[in-house]
Amino acid sequence: MKLFGSSGIRGITNKEITVDLALKVGLALGSLKESAVIGRDPRIAGEMIEHALISGMVSAGCDVVRVGLVTTPTLAHAARNYDCGVMVTASHNTSEYVGIKLWNPDGMAFDSTQQEEIEEAVASGDLTGVEWNNIGNVTTDSNAVREHSEMILSNVKPIKPASLRVVLDCGCGAGGTITPDLLRGMGCDVITLNAQLDGYFPARNPEPNDANLGLLKKAVLEFDASLGIAQDGDADRMMAVDENGVFVTGDEMLAIFAGYECKAGGTLVVPVDTSMIVDDALPDSTVVRTRVGDVYVAEEIKRTRADFGGEPSGSWIFPQVSYCPDGIYAAARLIEIVQDVRLGELRDKLPQYPTKRGTVVCDNERKGSVMDMVGSEMGTLGTVTDIDGVRVEMDDGWLLVRPSGTEPKIRITAEARTGVNELYDIGERIVREALA
Ligand code: MG
């Protein structure tokens, strides 16, 4: 039984993710681990799922420490003191979703082997509790937010007091528990939007993308701020708006952070769909590409001992602090950077290449055979990488053909210095011929 997707167990409350399932996951996890720390973001089903998980873990003999409403990076940081961490969150998904994400003490999400262990135990149906006098304890720890804040503040330089005004949009997500105080602690003049926690996410869709950040863009101009910062529902993701109220794209953000984090001759890890502006902005670094998903990026950072990695969706991983993407640390780090140079100027220095994205309908059963044909055809165009779909690199651009993980579609992405439409058309023709 497949429970875990690319970002933990996630689905609609009381349909895909039920109390019964959470109890079984808790029993399975509790039988493998002696201690766990658990937290949740503010979504409506969070506490319900948390209670079921705790009951299962304690019943299996595992001691559980509750840290309450926290961000995912706060929970992942707290996990360093326990055998594992459990976060009840559906990240950037809307209110009807809930999910469970499991963490190792080093801030790395459970890998595929660990996920399979849980899946097999849940599927086996023979999960039972321990003797009455061996059940685990449940305690509460109210220091997780403070400890996470202190860790971040010890890794960034404070700014000259009140020299920098920032508008912060927490989107009613868990970021409100830590980010406003932390940025004030750095010395920023902080104007908050939607810092009140609300699991209905009434202010905006929790995903911090260009379309959802209209209010933030306006507020940055209105308050004459140096930048705007937005987080998703559990604040592992962070995106920014520059001093002109312009949304900084994920590829631009990745190139800007990497420019500061990667040492000369260092390594940067990004997913296969990342723009070549990253390669062009960092000519002295090795750029390693992985499957799409922050867990794969984190695993590759650990394996290659990379300086930095991230995903254009807004996940930034700074391995010197954690393998968990941290939208609070990233915000603090960006503020440190823009003290010396405006964010818009950093954007302007980056090259801009046209990108074209589209999809071709393809039945799920046919995806495998179609991709085999696409792969051999694309091999004639240039250097091929096939870790996630097929990506072919040419002198003037790249083309990626990937089967969608959730829909009956094949996705095509093309980016080129010149002739992006022609490149996209080549990709589409190859896919259509394979389908014919
Ligand atoms: Mg998230």
Side-chain angles (χ1 to χ4, degrees), residues 276 353-354 393-398 415-420 423:
M276 61 191 177
Y353 304 125
E393 193 130 45
M394 285 148 284
D395 290 340
D396 230 22
W398 57 276
E415 184 184 36
R417 291 183 178 88
T418 53
V420 71
L423 187 57

Side-chain angles (χ1 to χ4, degrees), residues 101-120:
K101 200 161 176 180
L102 305 177
W103 298 91
N104 287 297
D106 65 355
M108 183 73 81
F110 269 31
D111 65 21
S112 46
T113 311
Q114 292 177 298
Q115 293 176 1
E116 279 159 25
E117 222 176 341
I118 301 287
E119 284 167 347
E120 279 164 23

Side-chain angles (χ1 to χ4, degrees), residues 403-415:
S404 163
T406 49
E407 294 170 275
K409 284 177 183 169
I410 289 184
R411 298 184 188 285
I412 303 167
T413 311
E415 184 184 36

